[in-house]
Amino acid sequence: MAHIEIDAPGTTQLLLGNEAIARGALEAGIGFATAYPGTPSSEIMGTLAPIAKKMGIYAEWSINEMVAFEAASAASLSNIRALSSMKANGVNVIADFLVNLQMTGIRKGLVLVVCDDPGGMTSSNEQDTRPIAKWLNIPMLEPSTAQECKDMTKRAFELSEELGMVCMVRSVTYLSHTRGNVRFGRLPENKKVAHFDDFYNIDDPRQSRYTCGMQFHPYKQSEELLKRFAKAPEKCENSPFNSYRGPEIPELLIISSGICWTYAIEAVSILGLQDRVGILKLGTTWPLPEGLVARYLNKSDKVLCIEEIEPFVERSVMELAASLPPDQPRPTFYGKRSGHVRAWGEQNLNLAIQSIASVMDIPYTSRQSQDLEYRRAAQAVAQTLPARPLTFCPGCPHRASFWAIKIALQLDGRNGFVTGDIGCTAMGMISPGSFQVRTYYAMGGGVGVAGGFGHLGQFGFQQPVIAVCGDSTFFHASIPGLINGVWNQSNFTLAILDNSATAMTGFQPHPGTGITATGDPGKKVSIEALCRSLGIHVEICDPFDLNTTIATLLTMMRDEGPAQVVILRRECELVRERKEKRNPFRVYVNPERCIGESCGCNRLCTRVFSCPGLVWDRDAGKAVIDEAVCVGCGLCADVCPRGAIVKEAL
Amino acid sequence: MSAEDLKKEPLNVIIAGVGGQGNVLMSFLIGNALVRRGYVVTVFDNYGASQRLGAVASHIKISKEGLQNSPLLHEGDADVIVGIEPIELLRNLSQFGNPEVIAVANLRPVYPIGVISGEVEYPELDEASAAIRRLSAQAWIINATDEALALGNPIYTNVILMGALIGSGVLPLDVMAMEEVLKEQLPKAFEINKVALHRGVDLVKAG
């Protein structure tokens, strides 16, 4: 929606943090960008890919983060600036490669942008990437605003080249997904020539420096890495991204970074403490600008670190304090360790106010406690409001797939269950998926776990196991688990819920769609051909054909042979709707046939099937279609035992 | 164009609805119109994991100048709340409202699955309407979805409400500013959206 490619230096645009990161990469003159979709990082590639050709950039949605990052490193080694972006979980996927790449170093700027998700709003966990930067000696920049997202990304490429190593930029959900004012800089001229020159290493000129271990021993590479990293503190020391606001001698020194800095600034202002409390903002959180921090530690008796997830800055600052000269007084530290900052979940303005007020030991009267009468009325209303839990979209093929899986497991009657995976299919663990998913961990985890369950027969285990994954997850990480299960003759069924899209993150293409990130035709990879090449039984069903799907699942579960695959294929309703722009059926409830509670179906359609497009008319005591929500998929017509729901082809 | 003084610093707006109703587009259009007028704007679209029908709330903070604001409104600190869905409006009023807050409401419910299944009840619409009035200093309550269906498609609901918001005069934006942004961002559907925008303005002007 925003136009990040315009060459209009000095103009101000409203950009998402992620769009600003993409703009920063353009201003840095990148030639190569790769990513795997993952909230909250997806808009970085989502913004770059459509303009890539125009800007002379190669852009790729890769099948997983590891190959994305490996490909980006090849561009860097060939003298082309490269960007790779991912969510926090993706760093786990690239960890092995990253550890080794960091030992040999890079050539042209290589920037890894990681978007963490404090609170885990759209993630399986809320892991913090900053300790990984520290562990691997990777310089890390943490922007606080959309403007800094752009400026720091650009700076990260320079830093990467100055130090000869990968450089990280860390964003979080509330930054990546917030729009703010961004003043554009210049776009560089597009002159890039790729050439791989392996800079033979110092010990043996016959060996490339871009190889780990072997003759060039790992311990020597560690020494080399530490030498390169030793230049980093000085760069951070003088960074314009570190700044201080507040009195010369503050009663309390707050140290903060990233989005939390914006909370700290506003909290101090709301509490009216601008003359008593100072805020040191760290844009370079690893390595710490030690001299700068030490100078400010000397100015205050009390130090409060406000940050999300891990007490990363807090611990680093305490480490620094331990190394200060013995005559320098030690401040008292407040933060997650002392319990003044919440140790889990995301931060916000309210929490920052509470933390500061408690350390300063001042009362804080919130706006809400001033308007008592209003607050009582508001609470009374709030109690009457029904929650709005997650659900599959109207027309979603997964609703049909889980409906079929549930009935098949019931008919089988051996207490079978589903091992789940990441993506929209994860909603199989809650109401819209009939609570069928019993384990849920990581990309590819469903099939891997099922492979283990499938070997427990020798211990009397008789429950059938259905592993579920989406099509994008299949390509990302499920193939090794499937091959392992087939090879080792594990007994399970893999149901690939193929909706031909990476739906949850915004419909990015993948090998099964045959379209690349830039919208060009790619070589389409057939899931069924790939699975059949393993020599196993593979079936393809349309989940909307409920009876065939149920029968197929039952047959597969009852087979005691090795792993089998059923592909439950139907395009994501939101993708179909965008393409066709019309509903396939007109669906309505025949009020004469629907007899409501007296039917004996126990309101199967609204109570159990629960599609948001089919609602219950309390006054009439019958089901009724909500025309503003229904997409006309017609599945409910097949679920109603009385045939009271009618679908007419349009 | 230079920014004018605001009634309050920052001026805080929430747009509340459910996934698929066009919350994000609306906050994007308003945010862009404000940046064109020279304001410092912070927009955060708070949504969960589902593409459709989850609760969505867009937080918009507007400053004449100065630092970029933090993404979320402070509790009890909204100046205006637009509700594309009535209980999402009430949810946000009860958390971010105050005796001075202004409400712009669409009175068309989208039922959560717990209501459809009968586990929990949805408030009666006249009760919801009364609660909206009780929790606001001034409320414009319209049926934008019916108006959108009359224009041929429920997707115009958000732009009708955007018109109502502009018509209410609480933002430092006029109809021309919104037309400019609509023309730029939705060139193919500009004419029908312009009609929807004006329909919203007229509904508020009428009363």
Side-chain angles (χ1 to χ4, degrees):
Chain A
M1 293 197 285
H3 296 284
I4 65 153
E5 76 279 22
I6 56 171
D7 193 14
T11 62
T12 300
Q13 310 285 332
L14 183 68
L15 296 191
L16 280 177
N18 281 347
E19 292 168 343
I21 288 168
R23 171 71 191 190
L26 291 186
E27 290 186 10
I30 60 158
F32 207 92
T34 57
Y36 181 77
T39 315
S41 72
S42 310
E43 297 82 3
I44 300 170
M45 178 56 71
T47 311
L48 281 173
I51 57 162
K53 273 194 269 184
K54 186 173 156 193
M55 306 303 285
I57 295 169
Y58 174 75
E60 173 182 295
W61 281 121
S62 313
I63 61 153
N64 64 33
E65 293 85 353
M66 186 174 74
V67 291
F69 189 62
E70 288 163 345
S73 73
S76 160
L77 300 188
S78 306
N79 219 24
I80 300 286
R81 283 187 170 183
L83 176 86
S84 198
S85 53
M86 57 196 62
K87 70 182 295 173
N89 306 59
V91 183
N92 304 339
V93 178
I94 70 167
D96 196 10
F97 183 79
L98 180 61
V99 169
N100 289 295
L101 179 78
Q102 185 62 349
M103 303 307 287
T104 66
I106 54 92
R107 188 164 166 213
K108 200 75 171 175
L110 176 59
V111 172
L112 171 60
V113 177
V114 183
C115 301
D116 285 359
D117 187 11
M121 281 171 283
T122 52
S123 306
S124 55
N125 66 51
E126 55 163 350
Q127 73 180 65
D128 192 331
T129 300
R130 297 175 302 169
I132 295 175
K134 188 172 180 177
W135 164 41
L136 297 179
N137 296 299
I138 297 173
M140 169 167 275
L141 302 178
E142 264 196 90
S144 296
T145 60
Q147 179 73 49
E148 282 192 344
C149 282
K150 176 183 85 67
D151 295 342
M152 285 193 186
T153 302
K154 185 169 177 235
R155 172 67 188 134
F157 281 95
E158 298 159 6
L159 197 56
S160 170
E161 284 160 20
E162 289 164 17
L163 299 171
M165 59 178 66
V166 60
C167 192
M168 280 168 122
V169 174
R170 183 226 193 197
S171 179
V172 294
T173 307
Y174 278 101
L175 181 62
S176 282
H177 285 176
T178 298
R179 292 180 198 277
N181 295 46
V182 178
R183 199 176 153 85
F184 279 13
R186 295 202 171 278
L187 292 176
E189 278 185 52
N190 186 9
K191 276 191 241 151
K192 302 178 192 86
V193 178
H195 177 69
F196 177 70
D197 183 343
D198 55 4
F199 290 140
Y200 51 81
N201 79 49
I202 45 173
D203 279 4
D204 181 353
R206 291 168 305 174
Q207 191 188 340
S208 165
R209 74 165 282 177
Y210 300 122
T211 54
C212 268
M214 303 300 283
Q215 295 118 299
F216 197 37
H217 299 293
Y219 67 86
K220 288 191 183 171
Q221 285 179 316
S222 294
E223 186 188 7
E224 187 68 19
L225 166 62
L226 291 173
K227 265 189 217 159
R228 279 184 285 131
F229 189 73
K231 294 185 212 143
E234 172 203 327
K235 312 266 179 202
C236 296
E237 205 62 56
N238 302 314
S239 169
F241 301 124
N242 303 319
S243 62
Y244 175 79
R245 291 171 85 92
E248 180 59 28
I249 304 292
E251 282 174 52
L252 170 68
L253 174 71
I254 295 173
I255 303 180
S256 195
S257 60
I259 199 72
C260 292
W261 172 77
T262 67
Y263 306 142
I265 287 276
E266 284 175 37
V268 167
S269 159
I270 287 170
L271 291 167
L273 293 171
Q274 295 97 321
D275 297 334
R276 295 170 62 192
V277 175
I279 304 173
L280 180 61
K281 170 181 176 296
L282 298 183
T284 61
T285 42
W286 191 252
L288 214 56
E290 294 194 350
L292 178 77
V293 176
R295 278 200 301 285
Y296 281 95
L297 287 183
N298 211 6
K299 288 175 191 275
S300 185
D301 299 334
K302 294 177 177 173
V303 173
L304 168 67
C305 293
I306 298 183
E307 60 191 315
E308 288 171 322
I309 323 182
E310 298 292 324
F312 177 78
V313 168
E314 184 178 330
R315 283 184 185 144
S316 301
V317 170
M318 289 176 84
E319 274 173 28
L320 171 67
S323 68
L324 292 175
D327 56 332
Q328 182 165 335
R330 300 289 189 276
T332 307
F333 287 97
Y334 300 90
K336 290 176 187 264
R337 201 165 174 275
S338 69
H340 289 82
V341 175
R342 194 170 75 175
W344 46 269
E346 75 275 20
Q347 285 290 311
N348 58 42
L349 183 52
N350 230 3
L351 288 170
I353 290 172
Q354 285 168 24
S355 297
I356 297 165
S358 69
V359 174
M360 292 295 284
D361 196 22
I362 55 166
Y364 166 62
T365 322
S366 70
R367 169 110 200 220
Q368 282 148 310
S369 47
Q370 291 161 24
D371 306 318
L372 274 179
E373 202 176 314
Y374 182 90
R375 201 47 47 198
R376 270 196 290 272
Q379 275 166 3
V381 169
Q383 281 165 5
T384 67
L385 304 176
R388 198 176 291 279
L390 284 176
T391 178
F392 289 127
C393 306
C396 177
H398 297 340
R399 179 178 283 105
S401 293
F402 279 107
W403 183 260
I405 288 169
K406 177 185 170 174
I407 293 175
L409 287 169
Q410 280 172 348
L411 289 172
D412 176 82
R414 288 178 293 163
N415 204 15
F417 59 94
V418 174
T419 58
D421 221 304
I422 308 297
C424 288
T425 61
M427 277 187 279
M429 75 174 101
I430 52 175
S431 150
S434 304
F435 302 97
Q436 298 304 299
V437 169
R438 298 299 179 181
T439 69
Y440 167 74
Y441 301 104
M443 296 289 283
V447 65
V449 171
F453 281 120
H455 280 303
L456 298 177
Q458 71 181 88
F459 305 108
F461 185 89
Q462 292 180 341
Q463 296 162 273
V465 178
I466 300 176
V468 161
C469 71
D471 38 341
S472 191
T473 311
F474 175 76
F475 290 113
H476 179 288
S478 301
I479 296 171
L482 176 62
I483 294 176
N484 188 60
V486 170
W487 173 40
N488 287 301
Q489 307 254 23
S490 177
N491 177 237
F492 65 88
T493 303
L494 172 62
I496 302 168
L497 273 51
D498 178 5
N499 60 358
S500 306
T502 318
M504 187 166 249
T505 49
F507 320 109
Q508 294 81 6
H510 62 62
T513 66
I515 309 282
T516 69
T518 42
D520 296 303
K523 177 84 180 157
K524 188 169 175 168
V525 179
S526 160
I527 296 177
E528 53 271 37
L530 203 152
C531 293
R532 284 183 179 132
S533 76
L534 305 179
I536 54 172
H537 181 202
V538 177
E539 293 277 356
I540 303 166
C541 297
D542 176 357
F544 274 32
D545 181 353
L546 287 170
N547 290 337
T548 308
T549 305
I550 293 164
T552 304
L553 283 164
L554 259 178
T555 310
M556 286 195 165
M557 273 189 281
R558 285 172 181 164
D559 188 307
E560 288 178 3
Q564 302 176 80
V565 170
V566 57
I567 300 166
L568 301 180
R569 178 172 291 151
R570 176 170 274 257
E571 191 172 40
C572 171
E573 168 58 23
L574 302 186
V575 175
R576 185 208 63 78
E577 191 185 40
R578 278 181 192 188
K579 277 200 291 211
E580 297 178 13
K581 298 196 188 310
R582 57 193 285 275
N583 294 350
F585 295 103
R586 185 172 88 88
V587 181
Y588 61 94
V589 178
N590 179 344
E592 276 155 32
R593 286 204 68 83
C594 178
I595 53 173
E597 295 282 11
S598 55
C599 173
C601 73
N602 188 28
R603 283 176 52 189
L604 187 68
C605 61
T606 51
R607 208 167 263 156
V608 188
F609 182 66
S610 66
C611 172
L614 181 68
V615 302
W616 185 251
D617 183 337
R618 270 189 296 191
D619 299 333
K622 294 173 195 294
V624 62
I625 296 292
D626 183 339
E627 61 179 327
V629 178
C630 176
V631 294
C633 78
L635 185 63
C636 55
D638 299 331
V639 168
C640 174
R642 261 186 79 79
I645 306 175
V646 184
K647 60 174 184 186
E648 285 170 2
L650 283 173
Chain B
M1 201 172 289
S2 67
E4 296 162 19
D5 282 341
L6 296 167
K7 292 168 202 159
K8 183 174 149 278
E9 272 286 341
L11 191 68
N12 291 330
V13 184
I14 290 181
I15 302 165
V18 302
Q21 286 192 313
N23 242 80
V24 175
L25 178 63
M26 192 164 157
S27 69
F28 175 79
L29 294 170
I30 290 168
N32 268 279
L34 288 162
V35 168
R36 276 167 178 245
R37 291 291 188 274
Y39 293 96
V40 177
V41 187
T42 310
V43 183
F44 180 75
D45 300 309
N46 202 353
Y47 51 85
S50 53
Q51 292 280 354
R52 287 277 163 93
L53 301 169
V56 184
S58 300
H59 290 222
I60 308 175
K61 289 175 161 179
I62 311 159
S63 287
K64 190 186 172 195
E65 57 205 354
L67 289 178
Q68 197 77 47
N69 286 296
S70 71
L72 288 180
L73 262 65
H74 195 203
E75 297 197 347
D77 203 21
D79 298 299
V80 55
I81 306 185
V82 181
I84 316 182
E85 205 281 344
I87 62 164
E88 295 313 316
L89 171 59
L90 284 169
R91 215 187 297 285
N92 281 278
L93 271 174
S94 62
Q95 191 179 356
F96 297 99
N98 55 66
E100 287 84 46
V101 73
I102 289 167
V104 180
N106 176 28
L107 208 60
R108 169 68 173 248
V110 176
Y111 296 113
I113 48 170
V115 170
I116 294 171
S117 68
E119 289 161 57
V120 281
E121 294 223 338
Y122 196 96
E124 295 290 345
L125 285 186
D126 51 350
E127 281 172 31
S129 215
I132 292 166
R133 291 189 195 287
R134 199 154 63 238
L135 295 183
S136 59
Q138 195 176 6
W140 279 279
I141 302 177
I142 61 178
N143 202 327
T145 306
D146 284 353
E147 297 286 343
L149 285 167
L151 289 179
N153 196 323
I155 61 167
Y156 305 123
T157 304
N158 61 341
V159 176
I160 293 171
L161 276 166
M162 192 165 78
L165 174 65
I166 299 302
S168 75
V170 290
L171 295 187
L173 290 173
D174 55 18
V175 184
M176 278 303 293
M178 293 321 302
E179 280 188 19
E180 273 172 40
V181 173
L182 277 173
K183 196 166 200 169
E184 181 193 273
Q185 294 295 333
L186 307 169
K188 286 185 203 152
F190 172 63
E191 288 304 326
I192 183 73
N193 278 294
K194 184 179 161 187
V195 172
L197 181 75
H198 282 270
R199 187 79 196 105
V201 175
D202 294 345
L203 285 168
V204 162
K205 293 270 158 74

